[in-house]
Amino acid sequence: MSMDLDAPVPMTGLQEQPVVMATILCCNCGAPIDGTASAGALCSECLRNTVDVSQGIQREGTLHCCRDCERWLQPPNSWVVATPESKELLAVCLRRLRGLNKVRIIDASFIWTEPHSRRIKVKITIQQEAFQGTIVQQTFEVEYVVASQQCDDCKKSYTHNTWRASVQVRQKVPHKRTFLYLEQLILKAGAHKDTVNIKEAKDGLDFYFAQRNHAEKMVDFLQSTIPCKMKKSQELISMDIHTSTKSYKFTFSVELIPICKDDLVALPIKLARQCGNISPLTLCHRVGTAINLLDPFTLQTADVTSNTYWRSPFKNLADVTELKEFIIMDIEPLGHSSGRYQLSEATVARASDLGSNDTTYYTRTHLGGILHVGDSVLGYHLTGTIFNDPNFEAIEASNQYGSTIPDVILVKKHYARKKKPKNRAWRLKRMAREYEEEALQQTRRQEQEQDRLEQDFEMFLRDVEEDQELRQTLDLYKARRKPEQDHEMDEDSGSDDEVPKIDMEELLDDFDELNMNEE
């Protein structure tokens, strides 16, 4: 009999047997468990209750927050902006715990944040291998105490001579309306957030910065917002002769164009011809990235950019402090309109002349859409007024424009108001600044200067109420009033019925003020 050695031998009695798991009892509670996968003869419940994988991790911590800028300290020496219960603040909390880097973080969340007691509670879930092949997951709570610590930037703001760059903004005009408007634009864009200090100086403001690039950023914002020119200078502070390392202080001098809204302007005749052959005698009806001029007799407009102005600068003939009140005796529309302006012919008389003489003046105006017989209007009285301005003298001597100089130029409608400012339902934010005090005591002149600043601010608030286009560029906030102030406002509302009212839908809620009042 032959046998094939390569043929497979059939296995009759040798079959592969399945592995049988060894079941044992938990040494702690007696529950049956898998002995091959058990860790120390403990069930999962006893293992979770017996082994503490969070041992060595802090259950209490301290967070440092700056009261001035509300930033949080992130060791070793960096300050981050984080709102309450945000992911940025949660990251700061986790980095403050020692021993957390030895475990795996599964989840972390805020339990509650208490601003009054300065406490923050965080729930953290972690995993760690307790025994070989056994991973334990555990959840625990950590309580943080919020402590106050002043950041380096805020320390510099209270220390003299720590700035490295300054921006000096100046405008040589007798009022502060343009600066008040610029202040609102800065607040809306947050362009002042990097300032170390803000000081009020003569004819302007000084912004101080810890770094040069922050000052250059402010200059770029000013040049993109309002027509101006800039000069740069630097001062050597120190120099290392061994390494040739030098330290400088930089100063950026920004001069704003001395033309403001509602000013009467006499353009050079050559410049007027370049600007679409507009009449040289115009009104400045808006100041934006350029000076927007309006001819009130033809409704023609022209824009004078910053570069064009500084090539051939000119001054205003008169500003808002020289406006006179007139009464509309008769008005007739001419049918020509442009935007919100409507050209009309009007007969006016000075309010101070009523009852003493019958002198009236005939003029054209761009305010035909809002004026009616009997309304009060503010304007410039040119008859008998002497302007010491070469551009105006050239206009008078010109054959083309000399005969077209009017007696009166109307500027805006006048609303009867109380002398004392009323309680408004809205308000504007202001920048925190320091006044450049002199060594002398408070004098009568300084008191008059303060009164003039208050008058300028009240005039600016009235412009905001009366000009809807101006309000669209600003942030107006709801004023928080007491009940007695609401009662006084209701009693006084009858005397200012003609004054334009601001819709409450245009106002914003000031959440910063709400948080401060709650605390």
Side-chain angles (χ1 to χ4, degrees):
M1 179 182 292
S2 63
M3 181 180 295
D4 189 359
L5 299 178
D6 296 332
V9 179
M11 298 180 63
T12 56
L14 299 178
Q15 299 290 336
E16 185 177 355
Q17 300 295 328
V19 180
V20 180
M21 295 185 298
T23 302
I24 63 174
L25 300 180
C26 176
C27 64
N28 190 17
C29 64
I33 58 176
D34 183 9
T36 60
S38 63
L42 293 174
C43 64
S44 59
E45 190 67 26
C46 295
L47 184 64
R48 189 180 300 109
N49 295 332
T50 305
V51 179
D52 185 9
V53 295
S54 65
Q55 187 176 5
I57 302 177
Q58 292 178 276
R59 300 303 173 95
E60 294 180 354
T62 303
L63 301 177
H64 294 88
C65 178
C66 180
R67 284 184 178 270
D68 297 327
C69 62
E70 297 182 353
R71 292 188 298 175
W72 300 83
L73 176 61
Q74 182 172 297
N77 194 24
S78 62
W79 294 83
V80 296
V81 179
T83 57
E85 298 193 4
S86 63
K87 60 180 182 179
E88 292 82 6
L89 182 57
L90 184 60
V92 174
C93 295
L94 297 179
R95 288 190 180 98
R96 296 293 294 177
L97 290 182
R98 292 194 301 267
L100 200 60
N101 57 343
K102 299 179 181 179
V103 297
R104 181 184 179 187
I105 302 176
I106 300 301
D107 187 23
S109 61
F110 288 98
I111 299 178
W112 48 260
T113 303
E114 179 55 54
H116 300 283
S117 61
R118 312 285 288 181
R119 296 293 190 275
I120 295 177
K121 268 193 174 183
V122 178
K123 181 175 69 174
I124 303 175
T125 302
I126 62 174
Q127 284 183 354
Q128 190 181 22
E129 187 177 7
F131 299 97
Q132 184 176 3
T134 304
I135 297 178
V136 178
Q137 179 173 313
Q138 186 174 353
T139 301
F140 60 95
E141 298 178 1
V142 180
E143 182 175 350
Y144 295 90
V145 178
V146 180
S148 298
Q149 179 177 337
Q150 199 173 43
C151 65
D152 296 337
D153 295 337
C154 293
K155 288 179 182 178
K156 292 180 180 179
S157 64
Y158 294 98
T159 308
H160 298 288
N161 302 323
T162 57
W163 56 273
R164 287 301 179 92
S166 67
V167 179
Q168 299 175 352
V169 187
R170 299 290 184 269
Q171 186 185 37
K172 298 180 181 179
V173 292
H175 56 83
K176 297 286 187 180
R177 294 170 63 214
T178 304
F179 273 102
L180 293 172
Y181 174 65
L182 181 61
E183 178 185 15
Q184 298 303 316
L185 296 180
I186 292 175
L187 287 171
K188 183 176 181 179
H192 66 300
K193 62 181 180 180
D194 295 325
T195 55
V196 174
N197 199 2
I198 303 175
K199 286 189 177 181
E200 189 171 359
K202 184 179 178 182
D203 297 331
L205 296 172
D206 292 340
F207 299 89
Y208 296 93
F209 299 89
Q211 299 180 18
R212 174 185 173 182
N213 58 341
H214 293 164
E216 293 175 345
K217 186 178 179 181
M218 170 64 81
V219 172
D220 293 339
F221 172 78
L222 295 175
Q223 291 178 340
S224 63
T225 304
I226 198 164
C228 58
K229 69 175 182 179
M230 186 269 293
K231 291 183 179 179
K232 175 184 173 183
S233 62
Q234 59 186 23
E235 177 187 359
L236 180 64
I237 301 175
S238 60
M239 181 179 64
D240 190 349
I241 59 175
H242 301 287
T243 59
S244 298
T245 303
K246 300 178 182 179
S247 179
Y248 291 94
K249 276 189 175 182
F250 299 90
T251 301
F252 300 88
S253 178
V254 179
E255 183 179 356
L256 306 184
I257 291 179
I259 305 294
C260 302
K261 184 176 179 291
D262 298 333
D263 283 358
L264 180 63
V265 178
L267 293 173
I269 296 179
K270 182 180 178 180
L271 179 60
R273 291 172 179 171
Q274 294 175 356
C275 296
N277 200 21
I278 192 174
S279 173
L281 197 60
T282 59
L283 286 175
C284 176
H285 71 102
R286 189 186 301 111
V287 177
T289 55
I291 303 176
N292 306 125
L293 302 177
L294 170 69
D295 183 2
F297 303 100
T298 62
L299 300 185
Q300 184 181 358
T301 59
D303 294 341
V304 179
T305 62
S306 180
N307 295 332
T308 303
Y309 176 84
W310 294 114
R311 281 198 299 265
S312 56
F314 53 88
K315 297 181 179 179
N316 56 352
L317 283 181
D319 53 36
V320 291
T321 60
E322 303 176 35
L323 290 173
K324 306 296 182 182
E325 183 180 356
F326 294 88
I327 305 298
I328 301 295
M329 310 302 294
D330 187 19
I331 187 167
E332 185 70 24
L334 296 179
H336 182 52
S337 61
S338 176
R340 60 173 178 168
Y341 299 121
Q342 183 177 357
L343 191 62
S344 302
E345 294 180 346
T347 302
V348 299
R350 289 187 59 176
S352 59
D353 293 342
L354 295 179
S356 60
N357 57 57
D358 298 331
T359 305
T360 59
Y361 304 94
Y362 171 80
T363 184
R364 284 190 176 186
T365 178
H366 60 290
L367 304 174
I370 60 175
L371 294 181
H372 305 86
V373 176
D375 288 346
S376 298
V377 61
L378 298 178
Y380 296 108
H381 191 197
L382 304 186
T383 302
T385 305
I386 299 176
F387 298 104
N388 187 15
D389 187 272
N391 295 329
F392 185 74
E393 295 174 358
I395 296 173
E396 289 182 321
S398 174
N399 296 330
Q400 180 180 359
Y401 304 105
S403 60
T404 60
I405 296 179
D407 297 327
V408 175
I409 296 181
L410 303 182
V411 178
K412 60 181 179 179
K413 186 177 180 179
H414 177 62
Y415 299 93
R417 299 173 184 263
K418 303 184 301 296
K419 293 184 179 180
K420 184 179 180 181
K422 67 176 181 179
N423 295 323
R424 294 180 171 89
W426 57 276
R427 68 180 187 87
L428 296 173
K429 284 187 176 182
R430 302 296 305 274
M431 286 191 304
R433 65 184 72 173
E434 294 183 3
Y435 184 73
E436 193 70 32
E437 298 181 355
E438 299 179 358
L440 302 177
Q441 298 292 332
Q442 183 87 2
T443 61
R444 178 65 179 174
R445 181 179 178 182
Q446 293 177 345
E447 294 178 357
Q448 294 176 352
E449 180 72 14
Q450 184 66 26
D451 294 339
R452 187 178 65 85
L453 292 177
E454 293 179 359
Q455 293 176 2
D456 292 342
F457 186 65
E458 175 63 24
M459 187 182 303
F460 178 70
L461 294 180
R462 294 182 180 182
D463 290 340
V464 173
E465 285 179 337
E466 299 171 5
D467 194 345
Q468 185 177 3
E469 292 185 0
L470 178 62
R471 291 201 300 269
Q472 294 176 354
T473 61
L474 308 178
D475 283 343
L476 277 65
Y477 295 89
K478 297 178 182 177
R480 294 181 58 83
R481 302 183 304 275
K482 298 180 180 179
E484 56 269 17
Q485 292 177 336
D486 293 334
H487 180 66
E488 293 177 0
M489 185 175 179
D490 294 337
E491 293 180 350
D492 297 340
S493 59
S495 59
D496 290 342
D497 290 339
E498 296 183 358
V499 178
K501 300 296 189 297
I502 297 180
D503 192 359
M504 295 297 292
E505 296 179 356
E506 301 181 28
L507 306 181
L508 304 175
D509 292 319
D510 190 358
F511 295 103
D512 295 338
E513 184 179 354
L514 291 174
N515 294 335
M516 291 176 60
N517 293 335
E518 289 177 0
E519 292 181 5

